[in-house]
Amino acid sequence: MGEIIYGKEKAVKLRENIRRGIKKLSAARPPGLEIIIAGKDPASVYYAGLIQRAGDKEGISVNIKQFKKPHTGDISKYITGLNRNNTVDGILVQLPLPKNIDDERIFDLLSPQKDIDGQTPLNQGRLMTGREGIFPATAMGIIRILESNGIEISGKKVAVVGRSSTVGLPAAKMLLDRNATVTICHSKSRPLENYTKDADIVVVSAGRPELVGPEHVKEGACVIDVGTNEVNSKMVGDVAIEAVLKKAVVSPVIGGVGALTLACLFENTFEIYKNHINGIPAK
Ligand code: NAP
């Protein structure tokens, strides 16, 4: 029987450090984080509210701007203003964007220095070429959950299910950078178990309820469930947790990567804020 590993404890520590750091700087203004929601996606609205409430606790001023009838031009204009606004340290554009929005234009425009979820071409390129930058918070959370629970990455076989720019792809690169041998799976990787069942670590971020069952994982593997799916008003992960726990260590969707994602988002915001307050020019 495997054990459950959580991200909450590490997230609490990270957030305590951020809170202390903000207090210590005792600057004239708090860190400013702006969240842009294009459309009415309930999950985006819920998540933005959650970030705002959590930000309040840490002393981060979070403003939510929702474009209920979004147009690329309006959002672009708004982002241009935020890029120039010295009280805004971080900008988060909630994904996925509606189909009518030109996401390339949005992320080409967003200042890479305020891009707290590492979605601009510059920050994505920096990650892929092994340079310093601001990187996607969920991918950072995946690494943190493994490291804080003492799961060895170097030399291990890892299967990452999902190849999005926010989770799968950056997580795969971060794991590769830590000397894992990584297989990236997607919707055409069939049958999925052919790619996952030999892996020491399986990261699942597909957004498909209980996609991964015991047949997909080997005995003693570590499985990180990133997926969040609402099924009959209940939060369900991408991993059939009860069954998979019989043979593997599992990080569940509740209390797992999510808590660390939020902490890493605040960490990215705080790092930018520190530089702004101390007058350190952005790279
Ligand atoms: P996304 O952009 O929709 O990407 C999903 C990925 O999964 C795609 O690469 C897709 O393949 C792949 N996929 C879909 N069905 C598959 C299948 N049957 N077998 C193998 N791969 C499959 O989603 P995302 O933004 O990465 O998010 C994924 C999930 O993580 C969602 O449930 C989201 O809510 C959750 N999430 C959680 C957190 C957290 O903090 N816990 C943070 C971010 C996201 P193709 O590329 O071939 O389409």
Side-chain angles (χ1 to χ4, degrees):
M1 178 87 173
E3 59 168 318
I4 298 187
I5 55 170
Y6 291 103
K8 273 189 299 194
E9 216 172 293
K10 178 74 183 165
V12 166
K13 277 193 195 135
L14 275 173
R15 285 176 56 178
E16 268 169 16
N17 284 344
I18 294 165
R19 197 178 315 147
R20 256 186 253 123
I22 293 171
K23 269 200 187 137
K24 226 167 148 184
L25 274 174
S26 60
R29 66 165 184 89
L33 193 169
E34 184 88 17
I35 304 174
I36 296 173
I37 305 171
K40 297 176 187 167
D41 174 38
S44 290
V45 175
Y46 170 79
Y47 188 53
L50 191 134
I51 297 173
Q52 191 173 45
R53 289 189 296 280
D56 260 358
K57 288 186 191 151
E58 314 313 345
I60 298 173
S61 165
V62 181
N63 185 54
I64 302 170
K65 173 73 179 173
Q66 185 176 10
F67 292 85
K68 289 192 174 156
K69 288 183 181 163
H71 296 283
T72 305
D74 296 342
I75 301 175
S76 302
K77 211 165 137 192
Y78 191 71
I79 290 179
T80 305
L82 296 178
N83 285 346
R84 293 195 188 120
N85 185 336
N86 290 335
T87 66
V88 174
D89 302 288
I91 305 169
L92 176 70
V93 179
Q94 289 274 39
L95 294 173
L97 287 167
K99 284 199 170 55
N100 69 310
I101 302 299
D102 181 349
D103 54 351
E104 277 188 20
R105 194 168 144 204
I106 299 292
F107 288 109
D108 281 351
L109 196 71
L110 181 67
S111 164
Q113 284 83 35
K114 297 189 178 189
D115 170 27
I116 49 164
D117 204 24
Q119 289 302 296
T120 56
L122 187 72
N123 283 318
Q124 295 261 311
R126 281 174 167 163
L127 176 60
M128 291 304 154
T129 52
R131 299 185 200 194
E132 276 184 35
I134 308 171
F135 301 143
T138 308
M140 289 168 67
I142 292 166
I143 300 297
R144 291 270 167 80
I145 207 163
L146 290 168
E147 289 178 346
S148 63
N149 284 284
I151 312 284
E152 180 82 37
I153 298 173
S154 179
K156 301 294 176 188
K157 279 191 201 167
V158 181
V160 176
V161 183
R163 55 176 166 181
S164 69
S165 64
T166 45
V167 193
L169 210 53
K173 179 60 168 63
M174 289 177 189
L175 290 157
L176 184 66
D177 288 345
R178 286 162 179 79
N179 298 316
T181 303
V182 184
T183 303
I184 304 174
C185 313
H186 45 77
S187 62
K188 306 289 185 291
S189 309
R190 302 257 166 90
L192 186 59
E193 57 265 35
N194 280 5
Y195 303 93
T196 56
K197 68 182 178 203
D198 288 334
D200 303 299
I201 299 169
V202 184
V203 175
V204 196
S205 176
R208 299 282 180 271
E210 303 193 339
L211 170 71
V212 167
E215 69 280 16
H216 292 89
V217 299
K218 74 172 182 185
E219 200 79 39
C222 172
V223 181
I224 307 293
D225 191 358
V226 186
T228 53
N229 312 284
E230 206 185 306
V231 179
N232 300 330
S233 310
K234 273 178 80 180
M235 178 77 89
V236 175
D238 284 0
V239 176
I241 186 157
E242 294 299 329
V244 174
L245 259 177
K246 294 200 169 109
K247 60 196 296 198
V249 171
V250 183
S251 159
V253 64
I254 295 168
V257 168
L260 276 163
T261 298
L262 192 58
C264 291
L265 209 55
F266 287 162
E267 190 175 57
N268 283 347
T269 307
F270 178 60
E271 288 304 316
I272 301 168
Y273 167 74
K274 237 178 7 191
N275 289 344
H276 282 164
I277 293 298
N278 293 326
I280 299 169
K283 280 188 195 157

